[in-house]
Amino acid sequence: MPASDLTLTLTNYAFTFSAPPGPGRHAVRIVNDGTQPHEAVMFRMVPGKKGKDIANWVQTGMQGPPPGAPVAGITAEAPGKENILLLDLTPGDYALICFMPDAKDGKPHAAHGMIYDFTVAS
């Protein structure tokens, strides 16, 4: 695995960074410590919008302008697996969302709170 400067841990149902992401290039080690597959889809948010706005927009059929734009991410990562995500972040507001269906009720993990809003400061 290549060297990383940040770690993003996925659990049921949360995202946790080892340190706040700053502007610039990052190699993010993504670790699934959950018991289900998870994904991490990163959006750059429209000012004033949050990750829950993206989740609601998707859930209601993507009507109207999106509250953010996808910028990076990983698809389904099995429990216990790792991945590296290369990012080049600019200052602004971002959100991480997991849209994987839950093993118990089939709802997206975002519906269980797996949404993480963060700001990259200048």
Side-chain angles (χ1 to χ4, degrees):
M1 196 63 78
S4 61
D5 61 306
L6 291 171
T7 299
L8 175 63
T9 303
L10 315 177
T11 56
N12 304 348
Y13 303 96
F15 297 99
T16 307
F17 274 109
S18 57
R25 294 178 185 216
H26 297 282
V28 182
R29 179 177 163 242
I30 300 177
V31 179
N32 185 351
D33 274 349
T35 59
Q36 301 183 52
H38 291 293
E39 65 183 359
V41 183
M42 183 180 291
F43 293 86
R44 181 169 176 121
M45 303 308 298
V46 169
K49 298 295 183 178
K50 300 287 184 189
K52 66 180 175 141
D53 297 313
I54 290 279
N56 290 337
W57 181 75
V58 169
Q59 192 75 7
T60 59
M62 297 188 260
Q63 300 297 312
V71 294
I74 63 155
T75 57
E77 182 171 278
K81 298 297 181 181
E82 298 183 9
N83 206 333
I84 292 285
L85 178 63
L86 302 176
L87 297 175
D88 192 0
L89 297 173
T90 57
D93 293 325
Y94 294 84
L96 285 166
I97 302 176
C98 181
F99 294 105
M100 292 296 299
D102 191 69
K104 294 177 186 169
D105 63 15
K107 294 179 182 177
H109 288 163
H112 293 280
M114 198 164 180
I115 300 172
Y116 180 74
D117 296 300
F118 66 100
T119 299
V120 174
S122 49

